[in-house]
Amino acid sequence: DLLDTVEWAMPAIMDVLCGSDDIIKFEPDGPEDEQSCMDATNYVGYLIHRKNEDGFTTIHDAVKSALISRVGAGKCYVEETQDYREEKYSGLTQQEVDLLGQDPELEVIEALPDGLVPSPMSQQGQPPEMLQTFTVRARLTQKIKQFRNEGVPPEELRIARDTRVINECRFIEHRREVTLSYLREQGYDEDKIDQLSGDGEDSDDDVRARHDYDESEPESGDETDESQRKVWLSESYLRVDFDGDGRTEYRRVVKANSVVFDNEVVDDHPFWILT
């Protein structure tokens, strides 16, 4: 009965929420606001449906989870990551190689000599001065900031059981397995990452039930690649008197095991809930 009811309801609900590209529409207060409202409407549609790969699937899974287990959850936030890639430069002089080394976003891995070229400063009528050129291999590190909207499986979300209104909850947490490489991409301190060992904690009943149902095994990291080793990462938002002044503040705490990566004051949490 549950299966039939959910599958019957899903198409109509999804048609309401995702029947057009405008997942939300901004209405102008006056003629001068029409263009900015149109831009905002198009931009939000772009973020949900294209920038985040497949917004339809995110909404679909949250709605289906809400119909089956009464709660569907997601997370909308700004992600700051570090992107690593290698680049190769040819025909650089020693001076240009030195300038590359001064770029804070570039790390010169190697500089190999590849030939001699005439100096542009050679005087006419004189034998040209020859300059050594190099082929340089460098690692480029760039900070990338982008909006994210993603679904959160119910078994990864923890919330204070006395919560009545989602934006007033005193504790909410997203707990999931991530790789050490993911922690480095988030820009966390390398010394803290080195302190981590395997959690040794088994996944909870909901995680096991999900994999028992589809006869799959939970993914595990590549044991031969240390960067793919997984740990349990908790991102918690809670009201607590951290500084001892007798007043609670809303804080974001990110930790794995007993290693705390972030502990900062925030004004809200990034989660949304469907019921």
Side-chain angles (χ1 to χ4, degrees), residues 70-90:
R70 300 177 65 182
V71 175
K75 188 178 179 184
C76 186
Y77 61 102
V78 177
E79 182 182 48
E80 295 187 23
T81 60
Q82 291 184 337
D83 179 47
Y84 300 94
R85 66 174 185 270
E86 285 194 5
E87 295 192 345
K88 190 175 182 180
Y89 308 92
S90 301

Side-chain angles (χ1 to χ4, degrees), residues 6-247:
V6 169
E7 293 302 319
W8 168 82
M10 281 298 299
I13 296 176
M14 292 305 299
D15 183 55
V16 171
L17 297 178
C18 298
S20 69
D21 291 336
D22 297 339
I23 190 168
I24 188 171
K25 188 173 182 180
F26 294 84
E27 295 288 352
D29 292 330
E32 67 280 1
D33 299 328
E34 290 183 359
Q35 186 59 49
S36 59
C37 286
M38 187 182 300
D39 293 341
T41 298
N42 292 334
Y43 183 54
V44 171
Y46 163 78
L47 288 176
I48 297 296
H49 289 298
R50 296 178 59 188
K51 184 66 175 177
N52 285 278
E53 296 181 0
D54 193 351
F56 178 90
T57 301
T58 299
I59 298 171
H60 174 279
D61 292 350
V63 169
K64 195 163 191 177
S65 178
L67 292 174
I68 294 174
S69 60
R70 300 177 65 182
V71 175
K75 188 178 179 184
C76 186
Y77 61 102
V78 177
E79 182 182 48
E80 295 187 23
T81 60
Q82 291 184 337
D83 179 47
Y84 300 94
R85 66 174 185 270
E86 285 194 5
E87 295 192 345
K88 190 175 182 180
Y89 308 92
S90 301
L92 300 185
T93 64
Q94 183 62 56
Q95 184 179 11
E96 292 170 332
V97 173
D98 294 339
L99 287 175
L100 276 182
Q102 298 175 15
D103 189 335
E105 295 184 345
L106 273 178
E107 176 190 356
V108 176
I109 300 175
E110 63 178 4
L112 302 176
D114 58 5
L116 298 173
V117 297
S119 170
M121 304 299 293
S122 300
Q123 297 181 359
Q124 293 184 356
Q126 300 292 332
E129 179 184 354
M130 305 303 289
L131 295 178
Q132 178 69 58
T133 60
F134 299 86
T135 296
V136 176
R137 188 163 61 91
R139 180 181 293 112
L140 178 64
T141 303
Q142 288 182 319
K143 290 185 178 181
I144 300 176
K145 181 184 290 187
Q146 53 189 335
F147 292 98
R148 290 291 192 192
N149 181 55
E150 60 189 22
V152 177
E155 64 268 21
E156 293 184 1
L157 190 69
R158 297 178 175 183
I159 189 170
R161 62 189 306 164
D162 60 354
T163 299
R164 293 296 177 266
V165 181
I166 183 63
N167 61 344
E168 296 178 1
C169 65
R170 59 184 177 84
F171 173 84
I172 188 169
E173 177 188 73
H174 186 196
R175 182 175 180 273
R176 65 197 191 280
E177 271 192 310
V178 301
T179 63
L180 297 185
S181 176
Y182 172 85
L183 296 177
R184 293 187 175 95
E185 291 169 3
Q186 298 302 305
Y188 291 132
D189 186 85
E190 186 68 33
D191 292 337
K192 292 185 176 181
I193 296 176
D194 290 340
Q195 296 176 28
L196 294 174
S197 59
D199 264 356
E201 298 182 25
D202 193 8
S203 54
D204 59 25
D205 292 339
D206 287 336
V207 176
R208 290 194 295 272
R210 180 186 293 274
H211 291 287
D212 287 345
Y213 174 78
D214 59 17
E215 299 181 348
S216 66
E217 292 291 334
E219 293 183 7
S220 59
D222 184 353
E223 296 180 356
T224 63
D225 185 352
E226 177 67 13
S227 69
Q228 294 301 303
R229 183 163 59 85
K230 290 187 175 182
V231 295
W232 286 95
L233 182 72
S234 297
E235 180 184 354
S236 306
Y237 295 79
L238 66 160
R239 296 191 183 279
V240 62
D241 179 16
F242 180 75
D243 50 15
D245 63 356
R247 299 178 181 178

